[in-house]
Amino acid sequence: MADNVVELRNVVELRNVVELQGVARTYSGDPPVAALQPTDLVVRRGEYVAVMGASGSGKSTLLHVIGLLDRPTTGTFLLDGVDVRDLSDGRRTGLRGQRIGFVFQAFHLLPHRTVLENVMLAQIYNRTPRKGRADRAEAALERVGLGHRLDFVPTKLSGGERQRVAIARAIVGNPALLLADEPTGNLDSVNTGAILDLLDELHRDGLTIMVVTHDADVAARAERTLVMKDGELRELATT
């Protein structure tokens, strides 16, 4: 009976990509700034979650904590079943590279490297074996509809195409979680729609996605919408 309970618990834990229990972040100062109030959050494997909030609401702090770019002041955080609380900086960096893909508003592509090289370089950080990096990068670019742009440099691409390269770079290592920070903030309405359609496709393929945005239309694509206000996270709606 005990073995069955342990096995069931393991199955449940594996279903949770993100699990926050009382996680908070306070920045030292005079006075201290409580950027993230004690927060409980579970994101299950395959979910698509949006976090909305105004500038200064705490949503970027939440993203940085979940993305292992910052450490919480208090609380427990399990990422894909791994308790990250006491991990060294090196272990956190390795876990981030292996389990999390990032997409940012500003693309962050290397301008003098080709599209293929930009995606290949991402595999260095997630410890992907050197052999097959080009093939995996090409497959990721095909997945986002840019198989015909492999030899282009980012400066020769449209904003929408550059964001597609950034998404290919984020998914090439098959991460457990895709974190997107205002992914359409630099795009016009046509390219915004195309990028959101691509995120929908990736979600249907089973990818777990968290999008941080101030745009209600972007958040409407998600299954769940959370709202950050004054460092507090609240559930807005469930579809």
Side-chain angles (χ1 to χ4, degrees):
M1 180 69 173
D3 290 342
N4 290 338
V5 171
V6 171
E7 182 178 354
L8 178 61
R9 176 173 175 79
N10 288 340
V11 170
V12 171
E13 287 179 348
L14 286 174
R15 291 174 60 190
N16 297 337
V17 176
V18 173
E19 188 171 351
L20 306 181
Q21 297 177 355
V23 167
R25 182 65 170 102
T26 299
Y27 295 102
S28 58
D30 187 17
V33 177
L36 180 64
Q37 301 289 343
T39 298
D40 295 337
L41 174 65
V42 170
V43 178
R44 296 186 180 278
R45 192 171 309 281
E47 276 197 301
Y48 187 170
V49 179
V51 180
M52 291 188 64
S55 177
S57 63
K59 65 182 188 299
S60 293
T61 300
L62 178 67
L63 179 79
H64 290 167
V65 168
I66 292 176
L68 302 182
L69 299 171
D70 196 3
R71 290 180 181 268
T73 306
T74 59
T76 300
F77 173 24
L78 273 64
L79 174 65
D80 208 23
V82 178
D83 188 341
V84 305
R85 177 176 46 190
D86 297 323
L87 294 183
S88 66
D89 288 343
R91 291 282 305 281
R92 286 169 64 88
T93 299
L95 187 65
R96 182 169 63 243
Q98 293 167 5
R99 306 289 180 91
I100 302 175
F102 290 93
V103 178
F104 298 101
Q105 178 176 338
F107 316 134
H108 296 309
L109 301 175
L110 298 177
H112 302 300
R113 296 278 191 167
T114 68
V115 164
L116 183 65
E117 289 169 338
N118 267 277
V119 179
M120 286 177 63
L121 286 169
Q123 298 175 80
I124 295 174
Y125 302 105
N126 61 27
R127 301 178 182 178
T128 303
R130 182 182 299 273
K131 184 178 181 181
R133 283 180 186 169
D135 291 340
R136 285 185 288 269
E138 185 172 350
L141 287 162
E142 291 280 1
R143 178 65 188 82
V144 302
L146 286 180
H148 60 302
R149 292 284 195 263
L150 303 182
D151 296 327
F152 281 55
V153 293
T155 54
K156 299 296 184 182
L157 301 177
S158 69
E161 287 175 326
R162 277 180 272 177
Q163 193 61 294
R164 286 177 178 271
V165 176
I167 292 173
R169 180 184 59 192
I171 67 173
V172 68
N174 295 315
L177 175 66
L178 178 67
L179 288 177
D181 187 6
E182 300 286 1
T184 62
N186 283 338
L187 303 179
D188 60 25
S189 60
V190 173
N191 281 306
T192 290
I195 291 300
L196 293 178
D197 287 346
L198 176 57
L199 292 179
D200 287 345
E201 291 175 14
L202 294 172
H203 171 237
R204 286 195 293 270
D205 288 345
L207 184 60
T208 307
I209 301 174
M210 287 192 70
V211 173
V212 172
T213 181
H214 69 278
D215 189 331
D217 290 335
V218 173
R221 294 293 192 105
E223 293 175 307
R224 294 168 60 195
T225 301
L226 309 173
V227 174
M228 289 292 301
K229 184 176 181 180
D230 299 329
E232 294 186 4
L233 185 66
R234 301 176 182 177
E235 190 104 13
L236 178 64
T238 301
T239 58

